[in-house]
Amino acid sequence: MAHATRRLSSARPTFRGTGLAALAVLPLGFLVVFFAWPVAAIIGRGFGSGGVGTAIGDPLTWKLAGFTVASAGVSTIVAVLAGLPVAFLLARVRLPGVSLVRTLVLVPFVLPTVVVGLAFRALWPDGGLLPLVLANAFFNVAVVARTVSGLWSHLDPRTVDAARALGASPWRAFRSVTLPALAPAIASSAAVVFLFCATSFGVVLILGGAKYRTLETEIYLRTVELLDLSGAAALSLVQFAAVVAALVVGALARRRRENAVRLRSRSETARRPRGGEWWAVAAGLAVIALLMTPIVALLIESVSTSDGWSLAGYEALAGQGSRNALQVSGWDAASMSLRTAFDATTLAMIVGVLASVVLVALRRTPGRLARGMGETMDAALMLPLGVSAVTVGFGYLVTLDALPGDLRTSPLLVPLAQALVIIPLIVRMVLPVLRSVDVRLRQAASTLGASPGRVWREIDLPLTARSLVAAAGFGYVVALGEFGATSFLARPDAPTLPVAVATLISRPGELNNQMAYAACALLMIVTVVAVVLIDRFGAVRGQNSVGEF
């Protein structure tokens, strides 16, 4: 009997390892086929032409890299400085309307890039460096605010009270006690914000014009207009190096933040502000007001014409614009966006949830090998966020003909590219929720004879269902506004709404401009409604809707 028990226990790790390998096949296979292979093909073609060395040695390449890093760095600093008072508001303040602030701060993060670009162009018609930096920061305040507030809410306020009792001023207590404790969360969010800013495409294209170019827009120019694959490959390599560095910093900081959270139990620390804390509350509310300013400006611009207030832009969405700027109507483009986003979200949820299950299982498996495999897979899943969407899109066109059915002409081409973008976001939302499931519940179910599949259905799924819905909704609104890869892959007779907007603003005529603003307003309204529903009904109480960034 004892011999049989030992034999059974020795077989369990093997079965577990086999099951994990089977689950990991789909997400890793998807990443290899639809990300690594196309990107490697483009870079390989660049090396094959022999011009990569020349392009890397070109001073223009490093000038572009320097501008990309510098502008992304400034945007990151602005986002961190703006996000900290909002984080205080979310973590420490109990006032009417704080739940509304929690929702409003998330809206900019999921707005389509063309919407944000046009919103800032409504404030700065000539574009330029300042609106470009502010627009990138505008996108990412939510990442800082909600990531830092997640750790801040776990900090024991008695440490600050003790520092104050010993004579420290509020600012000194914050600087010497609170800020060092928040450093892991600040570093983690800053690394992710830098990653997003360094790979920004739509905002730079609309606000930067020909004067301010980053690595991302230059890759687009050299690939699409100049067919300079060697130059594009060289720029992709430089961008990839910066992305890997940001991912490493982010992963290390995220691990420190997780350790910090585990050392503290969450307690109810929110209260009515006192004394100088009202200044922090005022600063947080001022940031929210500034975040809403471009959105209001866009709505006003959508009903403004040279003749006064008008709904002409909205009415024109039933047509194709002035001089048939579009090959389809604006409503047809909107319908295409909805269908494409649904397909992309369905695919991303399948891959992302499976990947999250594997990562959680690897984390719970003892041994350095399992932990190392988990960290490597986690970092690999984040890579699509930092590689040029244009590189991926062009890679699809030169590789996917080798697959059965020639996906280059398939309507699934755009959803595949969009899914690749939103899978990392879904993983970052689902992963912490799955990790929070009490392992003792799963062990008890297994002891009672439940199979792994039944444990998932009876334990994990009920506890995580609402967060899975939130992740799906979040992925849907991000896919709805995806512009980078879609702008390269969408056919002129089947554009998504963001691609139609970019086409309209590139054509002359006031009507085309009004249609573009009206389409952006509709995208923004849909996004805001979705975010409100996700934040109010989709997320688990106490769970950060932005996820584990």
Side-chain angles (χ1 to χ4, degrees):
M1 181 69 178
H3 178 69
T5 302
R6 286 195 301 270
R7 195 170 47 180
L8 179 61
S9 63
S10 65
R12 281 176 181 169
T14 304
F15 175 77
R16 180 183 178 88
T18 303
L20 279 181
L23 286 177
V25 166
L26 180 59
L28 291 179
F30 184 89
L31 200 67
V32 168
V33 174
F34 295 108
F35 174 68
W37 180 28
V39 171
I42 292 299
I43 294 178
R45 287 198 173 203
F47 274 104
S49 63
V52 170
T54 303
I56 289 180
D58 188 350
L60 177 62
T61 299
W62 298 105
K63 181 179 179 181
L64 288 168
F67 177 76
T68 301
V69 170
S71 61
V74 174
S75 295
T76 301
I77 293 172
V78 173
V80 170
L81 293 177
L84 286 178
V86 181
F88 172 79
L89 196 60
L90 299 180
R92 293 299 203 201
V93 174
R94 181 186 294 160
L95 285 174
V98 170
S99 60
L100 177 62
V101 170
R102 187 180 301 276
T103 299
L104 290 179
V105 75
L106 185 57
V107 170
F109 181 68
V110 295
L111 282 178
T113 56
V114 292
V115 172
V116 174
L118 282 187
F120 274 82
R121 205 168 80 166
L123 295 171
W124 283 277
D126 297 327
L129 182 58
L130 178 61
L132 192 157
V133 169
L134 292 179
N136 279 329
F138 169 89
F139 265 118
N140 295 295
V141 170
V143 176
V144 178
R146 301 189 66 143
T147 300
V148 174
S149 68
L151 178 55
W152 206 333
S153 62
H154 287 81
L155 300 184
D156 190 343
R158 292 174 296 182
T159 56
V160 176
D161 295 338
R164 294 295 310 279
L166 293 173
S169 65
W171 169 244
R172 185 175 182 183
F174 173 78
R175 193 175 68 247
S176 59
V177 178
T178 305
L179 193 60
L182 294 177
I186 294 174
S188 174
S189 59
V192 175
V193 170
F194 179 84
L195 175 66
F196 287 154
C197 293
T199 56
S200 177
F201 177 64
V203 166
V204 180
L205 201 64
I206 293 174
L207 298 174
K211 185 176 181 180
Y212 299 104
R213 305 200 307 270
T214 61
L215 288 172
E216 185 80 1
T217 57
E218 187 69 12
I219 290 170
Y220 175 84
L221 173 67
R222 296 196 184 194
T223 302
V224 176
E225 298 185 15
L226 303 179
L227 293 179
D228 178 14
L229 291 185
S230 60
L235 295 177
S236 295
L237 289 175
V238 174
Q239 186 186 54
F240 187 76
V243 165
V244 170
L247 287 176
V248 170
V249 172
L252 293 175
R254 190 164 60 246
R255 185 187 305 170
R256 289 181 59 199
R257 189 183 83 240
E258 290 171 358
N259 292 335
V261 170
R262 278 198 296 268
L263 292 175
R264 303 174 177 91
S265 61
R266 186 184 181 96
S267 58
E268 185 58 47
T269 59
R271 56 174 172 77
R272 187 175 178 82
R274 296 178 299 197
E277 292 176 346
W278 283 105
W279 288 105
V281 172
L285 294 177
V287 169
I288 296 299
L290 290 173
L291 291 178
M292 296 300 107
T293 300
I295 294 175
V296 174
L298 185 144
L299 289 173
I300 294 174
E301 190 70 23
S302 71
V303 294
S304 302
T305 67
S306 56
D307 299 325
W309 304 110
S310 173
L311 296 176
Y314 294 90
E315 296 169 353
L317 289 174
Q320 298 175 349
S322 179
R323 299 181 181 178
N324 291 328
L326 302 175
Q327 294 189 20
V328 299
S329 72
W331 293 118
D332 288 336
S335 176
M336 176 61 67
S337 289
L338 295 174
R339 295 196 304 270
T340 301
F342 178 82
D343 294 340
T345 304
T346 301
L347 180 58
M349 283 297 293
I350 294 172
V351 176
V353 172
L354 280 178
S356 300
V357 170
V358 172
L359 289 173
V360 171
L362 287 173
R363 187 182 183 88
R364 291 171 176 168
T365 302
R368 292 184 178 180
L369 179 60
R371 178 175 290 273
M373 291 172 60
E375 292 176 351
T376 301
M377 182 177 175
D378 195 4
L381 288 166
M382 285 288 286
L383 283 177
L385 287 179
V387 174
S388 169
V390 176
T391 300
V392 175
F394 196 73
Y396 281 4
L397 297 183
V398 301
T399 58
L400 296 189
D401 60 321
L403 296 178
D406 192 358
L407 289 178
R408 296 180 304 174
T409 59
S410 169
L412 287 175
L413 189 62
V414 173
L416 283 170
Q418 291 181 351
L420 195 65
V421 172
I422 62 178
I423 284 171
L425 303 178
I426 288 174
V427 170
R428 295 267 72 82
M429 289 187 69
V430 173
L431 190 57
V433 181
L434 288 177
R435 284 176 178 169
S436 68
V437 176
D438 193 339
V439 69
R440 291 172 297 182
L441 294 175
R442 308 183 85 258
Q443 290 171 345
S446 298
T447 302
L448 293 173
S451 65
R454 187 172 181 185
V455 170
W456 164 256
R457 291 195 310 271
E458 301 292 338
I459 304 296
D460 296 79
L461 188 58
L463 293 175
T464 61
R466 296 184 70 186
S467 289
L468 292 176
V469 172
F474 192 82
Y476 185 84
V477 294
V478 172
L480 196 64
E482 203 284 324
F483 178 67
T486 307
S487 65
F488 190 76
L489 296 173
R491 301 193 308 270
D493 61 340
T496 61
L497 200 53
V499 174
V501 168
T503 302
L504 288 168
I505 62 175
S506 66
R507 304 294 175 85
E510 184 181 23
L511 183 62
N512 289 336
N513 192 63
Q514 289 303 116
M515 282 183 66
Y517 276 103
C520 282
L522 292 177
L523 274 173
M524 185 181 65
I525 292 170
V526 171
T527 299
V528 170
V529 171
V531 167
V532 170
L533 293 175
I534 291 166
D535 210 47
R536 294 296 176 88
F537 305 109
V540 173
R541 184 180 298 274
Q543 177 64 36
N544 189 338
S545 295
V546 170
E548 200 189 46
F549 287 124

